[in-house]
Amino acid sequence: MLNPSLDISRVRAISIDLDDTLWPIWPTITRAETVLLDWLTHHAPATAALFSNTEALRAIRNQMVTLRPDLKSDLSAMRRESIRFALTQAGDEPALAEPAFDLFFAERQRVELFDDAHDTLAFLSARYPVVALSNGNADVHRIGIGHYFRASISASVFGIAKPDVRIFHAAADAAQVQPHEVLHVGDDATLDAQGALDAGMQAVWINTANHPWPHGALPHATVDSLTALCKLMA
């Protein structure tokens, strides 16, 4: 699906989502939760017994969305406080939340990039300043892809999450261009594509599962892979 309004000649910078755009996120989170549970088994056995599987750990993390709405844009703080809450409920030492989170966070950075991610980032960064723009808490430098990016902006640090136009405008500022000169790339129809459109950017929606577009105005292009994005931009 190609919208005739796509104007590649107008593009002076790229902003790109991370989770589920450059790598699949849920295998990474599941593995990190497994490592966390194993650590709790040895260091906080009462918590490990009370929350005896990764589903239970994820459920209490999701519960924190209701308990601490002030942390909704900071996934690191949300996860840390969910661990602290679990420890407290089980009667273990709440201060163990810090080393437990550090372990989880380190494992969360061990992502497996899609096969065409490196080639895509190399292609884009050779032509434009590229800014990572994520609601997640991935660290592009710890992952080993930081050299492709002019800047990396996360909702956890910025304090505002996509689809709010302010985080998109921050990406344009980081690239030292105007919003209309940015092409945003991401997998989420609402958070990425619609958010970018609302911010005055051009948008490419990576739709690997062939979902129907759920909004009104179309993104400027829809592709089914990062490789297809490079062909579009060539």
Side-chain angles (χ1 to χ4, degrees):
M1 180 172 64
L2 182 64
N3 187 325
S5 64
L6 178 69
D7 184 357
I8 295 174
S9 68
R10 199 176 85 196
V11 178
R12 294 184 56 207
I14 301 288
S15 60
I16 189 167
D17 176 56
L18 299 177
D19 294 330
D20 284 332
T21 294
L22 297 180
W23 56 76
I25 185 56
W26 286 112
T28 303
I29 296 298
T30 299
R31 189 183 64 249
E33 288 172 337
T34 300
V35 169
L36 171 61
L37 185 60
D38 182 67
W39 187 92
L40 291 171
T41 300
H42 292 90
H43 297 87
T47 303
L50 187 60
F51 302 94
S52 58
N53 54 52
T54 57
E55 290 78 12
L57 286 176
R58 190 171 301 174
I60 199 167
R61 179 253 177 251
N62 292 339
Q63 187 181 353
M64 291 303 294
V65 176
T66 302
L67 295 174
R68 293 292 305 275
D70 56 307
L71 300 179
K72 66 179 181 179
S73 295
D74 189 342
L75 297 188
S76 291
M78 186 78 71
R79 177 68 69 169
R80 186 185 297 106
E81 292 311 306
S82 73
I83 297 170
R84 196 184 316 277
F85 186 61
L87 290 162
T88 301
Q89 282 202 331
D92 282 321
E93 174 53 57
L96 290 172
E98 303 302 330
F101 172 76
D102 289 345
L103 181 80
F104 172 89
F105 187 71
E107 193 67 23
R108 186 260 185 273
Q109 308 307 317
R110 293 183 57 240
V111 302
E112 293 187 16
L113 281 84
F114 292 128
D115 290 343
D116 49 359
H118 275 293
D119 287 346
T120 298
L121 290 172
F123 174 90
L124 295 175
S125 62
R127 290 160 175 79
Y128 309 98
V130 181
V131 177
L133 191 61
S134 177
N135 281 2
N137 54 1
D139 183 330
V140 296
H141 298 287
R142 290 178 69 164
I143 289 169
I145 57 174
H147 56 288
Y148 294 121
F149 296 98
R150 175 71 58 87
S152 180
I153 300 173
S154 70
S156 295
V157 175
F158 188 66
I160 297 169
K162 297 178 296 185
D164 193 297
V165 300
R166 289 172 289 180
I167 194 169
F168 288 95
H169 291 167
D173 290 343
Q176 299 183 313
V177 299
Q178 296 301 309
H180 72 271
E181 297 173 313
V182 178
L183 176 64
H184 180 72
V185 178
D187 72 288
D188 192 289
T190 300
L191 300 182
D192 289 305
Q194 187 62 50
L197 293 175
D198 291 343
M201 296 177 172
Q202 296 194 87
V204 172
W205 180 33
I206 298 185
N207 181 18
T208 58
N210 197 31
H211 291 301
W213 174 249
H215 301 294
L218 291 171
H220 295 81
T222 298
V223 296
D224 60 7
S225 68
L226 292 169
T227 296
L229 169 69
C230 293
K231 292 178 180 177
L232 181 70
M233 301 297 295

